[in-house]
Amino acid sequence: MKSTYQTQQRKILLNFLSSAHDRQFTIEEILEELNSKGESVPKSSVYRLMKKLVEEGVVRRHSKEDSRQYVYQIMESEECHSHLHLQCTECGKLVHLSHEATKEARQWMQGATGFELDQEKTFLYGTCTDCKKYK
């Protein structure tokens, strides 16, 4: 019976992360969002499940910009590892750069500087279209 409960918690967490696939969350933000939707998952379970999901490659963990906190985001697919990401510094929205644009950026970087870019760990920060409207 316990494994069913854990499976249910995992489903709740994955459903939430999938519904917000273009955003990153701290554990606290995940808990707040789940509570606001009437889903109750213990904090310790979220930490344990997120660790397991990161190990499985289902979720990506990053250091939050200018912070010692981690943020988590579901990986949409294996292809998510093979392109660059743009992140809005206002709302946290994540935009997946096309494979062609990623290839061009990596080639330019290599040619201009000799530096080989690690696209899996690279984020480009700026302001998304929606947030620019309100500035």
Side-chain angles (χ1 to χ4, degrees):
M1 187 179 253
K2 188 174 181 182
S3 63
T4 304
Y5 182 67
Q6 289 178 356
T7 300
Q8 185 62 26
Q9 290 175 343
R10 181 182 170 106
K11 285 180 186 177
I12 290 169
L13 190 55
L14 286 173
N15 285 340
F16 165 70
L17 292 170
S18 293
S19 72
H21 62 87
D22 61 345
R23 292 184 53 208
Q24 297 177 340
F25 299 93
T26 63
I27 295 291
E28 290 74 21
E29 290 168 335
I30 291 170
L31 290 165
E32 286 175 21
E33 291 283 334
L34 289 175
N35 286 333
S36 74
K37 296 176 187 310
E39 300 285 0
S40 180
V41 180
K43 187 175 188 175
S44 60
S45 294
V46 173
Y47 273 104
R48 186 181 70 255
L49 287 167
M50 292 306 286
K51 181 180 182 203
K52 186 169 179 74
L53 291 170
V54 168
E55 289 170 357
E56 293 171 359
V58 175
V59 169
R60 183 184 283 181
R61 181 181 87 167
H62 301 281
S63 295
K64 188 173 183 179
E65 187 180 5
D66 299 328
S67 172
R68 295 176 68 181
Q69 285 185 308
Y70 289 113
V71 290
Y72 299 86
Q73 182 178 16
I74 196 160
M75 301 293 290
E76 291 185 281
S77 69
E78 278 300 312
E79 292 180 10
C80 203
H81 295 284
S82 63
H83 58 255
L84 294 171
H85 296 89
L86 311 174
Q87 185 172 17
C88 180
T89 55
E90 300 293 319
C91 69
K93 180 178 182 179
L94 199 69
V95 176
H96 302 270
L97 206 57
S98 74
H99 293 290
E100 187 59 38
T102 295
K103 182 179 175 183
E104 288 177 22
R106 289 186 71 209
Q107 287 174 342
W108 178 85
M109 183 78 63
Q110 181 79 31
T113 66
F115 194 86
E116 188 168 327
L117 195 62
D118 183 345
Q119 64 206 24
E120 191 173 333
K121 296 179 182 171
T122 303
F123 282 79
L124 303 173
Y125 297 96
T127 307
C128 73
T129 306
D130 293 335
C131 290
K132 277 200 299 188
K133 292 178 189 175
Y134 300 108
K135 278 192 157 192

